[in-house]
Amino acid sequence: MRGVVFDGKQVQVVDDLTVREPGPGEVLVAISAAGLCHSDLSVVDGTIPFPVPVVLGHEGAGLVEAVGAGVSHVAPGDHVALSTLASCGTCAECDRGRPTMCRRAIGRPQQPFARGDRTVYQFASNSAFAERTVVKAVQAVRIPKDIPLRAAALIGCGVLTGVGAVLNRARVDRGDSVVVIGTGGIGLNVLQGARIAGALRIVAVDANPAKEAAARQFGATDFLTSTDGVRDILPTGADHVFECVGRVELIRRAVDLLDRHGQAVLLGVPGADAEASFLVSSMFLDKAILGCRYGSSRPQRDIPLYAELYRQGRLLLDELVTATYPVEDFEKARADAEAGRVARAVLTF
């Protein structure tokens, strides 16, 4: 079968990939569509260290082909969106409703794929850039069949991360002010999360002025090409600032733009050894810097919620898919994504 494999030096679309059958508590999914996220590109450029060779992709949707013993919540033929959380469901963090903190779901890469006699790693417990993948049952979330799979694919990372950061981590409230630095795939979802939450002023900041129309479509009330103008709009600062780029100087700006009791939420991914600074004295008015993993999501609850918001027209998904590419055109999709020409490139099988 076909898949996108990174061997540590180059990315290739191969056709000799195999995947094992699902074991107990696992699901075999035929991928229909998968979003190209910057986290995939970060594996390629070394920002996210990961063992190789690895099948990339972690934002996908498709059809259940087979289930292992003990799986009852999905069946062959069901449409599913995939999450990256291979959480155990039995530890203290899972029991508290915090599967993103499950230690069994982090840093334990599996090797369900093979090329010939060599095993191949699975990225983010998912590897959606393959015609078929095996995931833990908890990662496969059934969705209504009337939702296009190319749109549903984006729920599994961009929406869970961006909208989840607003609703679950920051808990933006009605009337709050929000600043979003960076309006790529994650930033656009933060914008629509803030809109759904009822934020009163939503300021989008992106150096590319061509992104203004999309930012406003997703919920921005104001658009700036620099953070320098934020104080003109919000003189006392913002209740929430989301950094969606992953640059340390922008993390500092996010902190500096906070109002009293404000929160800076970090969503962008800088290098693993990156360090950021801030004025300690500026934090004493109950300000906070929040890390956020995967939107603090509970996928079995959140994915159906977002799917229903999409059906009601309140959550935008089709508008995120600015270009689709057959998997053979991965390099073109990658170039367009790296150049910022698309909000989300979607690979199709």
Side-chain angles (χ1 to χ4, degrees):
M1 67 178 185
R2 293 168 297 167
V4 180
V5 177
F6 176 55
D7 65 4
K9 295 181 180 179
Q10 62 178 346
V11 181
Q12 290 182 294
V13 180
V14 304
D15 59 8
D16 60 348
L17 198 64
T18 60
V19 65
R20 63 172 173 76
E21 292 297 312
E26 293 182 333
V27 178
L28 176 67
V29 178
I31 299 295
S32 294
L36 175 56
C37 175
H38 277 278
S39 293
D40 300 303
L41 303 179
S42 294
V43 174
V44 177
D45 67 22
T47 302
I48 297 178
F50 205 87
V52 293
V54 57
V55 178
L56 297 174
H58 63 285
E59 187 181 68
L63 278 68
V64 175
E65 280 203 349
V67 300
V71 177
S72 59
H73 74 291
V74 294
D78 283 347
H79 288 200
V80 292
L82 301 182
S83 86
T84 67
L85 285 182
S87 50
C88 71
T90 59
C91 69
E93 296 295 349
C94 287
D95 193 51
R96 293 188 183 103
R98 299 195 298 230
T100 56
M101 296 295 103
C102 175
R103 286 175 170 79
R104 299 184 194 179
I106 303 174
R108 296 173 183 245
Q110 304 297 310
Q111 296 174 288
F113 301 100
R115 295 185 67 193
D117 59 358
R118 186 177 184 186
T119 56
V120 180
Y121 284 100
Q122 184 176 44
F123 179 54
S125 302
N126 189 308
S127 289
F129 292 170
E131 289 188 73
R132 292 173 183 81
T133 190
V134 169
V135 297
K136 290 185 66 171
V138 71
Q139 296 176 252
V141 184
R142 188 171 56 211
I143 57 173
K145 291 185 178 180
D146 61 347
I147 296 180
L149 288 170
R150 75 169 198 162
L154 304 186
I155 298 177
C157 178
V159 175
L160 282 177
T161 299
V163 178
V166 174
L167 302 182
N168 301 328
R169 186 67 169 126
R171 298 185 182 273
V172 173
D173 201 0
R174 298 178 302 278
D176 283 355
S177 57
V178 172
V179 175
V180 181
I181 302 175
T183 60
I186 298 299
L188 289 177
N189 278 298
V190 173
L191 288 172
Q192 67 174 334
R195 169 177 51 79
I196 291 168
L200 185 62
R201 208 71 185 260
I202 306 172
V203 182
V205 182
D206 199 292
N208 184 354
K211 293 187 176 183
E212 179 174 0
R216 290 187 180 277
Q217 180 182 26
F218 276 77
T221 60
D222 303 89
F223 182 88
L224 300 170
T225 55
S226 166
T227 58
D228 293 341
V230 171
R231 291 283 182 174
D232 294 330
I233 299 170
L234 302 171
T236 63
D239 296 312
H240 312 272
V241 182
F242 295 83
E243 201 284 336
C244 305
V245 181
R247 289 169 45 187
V248 294
E249 66 271 23
L250 293 178
I251 292 173
R252 171 60 184 266
R253 288 297 293 149
V255 175
D256 290 345
L257 289 172
L258 295 176
D259 196 355
R260 298 182 178 192
H261 207 272
Q263 301 178 130
V265 184
L266 310 186
L267 296 176
V269 182
D273 58 352
E275 296 183 359
S277 64
F278 59 91
L279 289 175
V280 176
S281 60
S282 72
M283 303 300 293
F284 291 128
L285 293 173
D286 287 359
K287 299 178 184 180
I289 301 172
L290 304 180
C292 184
R293 171 172 162 77
Y294 204 44
S296 301
S297 298
R298 295 162 62 183
Q300 289 289 341
R301 177 200 66 173
D302 291 347
I303 290 177
L305 168 63
Y306 300 151
E308 185 57 32
L309 287 172
Y310 166 78
R311 295 172 85 187
Q312 294 178 11
R314 297 166 63 190
L315 182 83
L316 305 182
L317 292 178
D318 300 307
E319 295 80 359
L320 281 169
V321 185
T322 46
T324 58
Y325 308 77
V327 67
E328 291 80 7
D329 288 345
F330 173 79
E331 283 301 328
K332 177 171 173 47
R334 174 184 172 184
D336 287 346
E338 289 179 329
R341 289 189 287 268
V342 295
R344 222 22 159 222
V346 173
L347 302 180
T348 58
F349 291 88

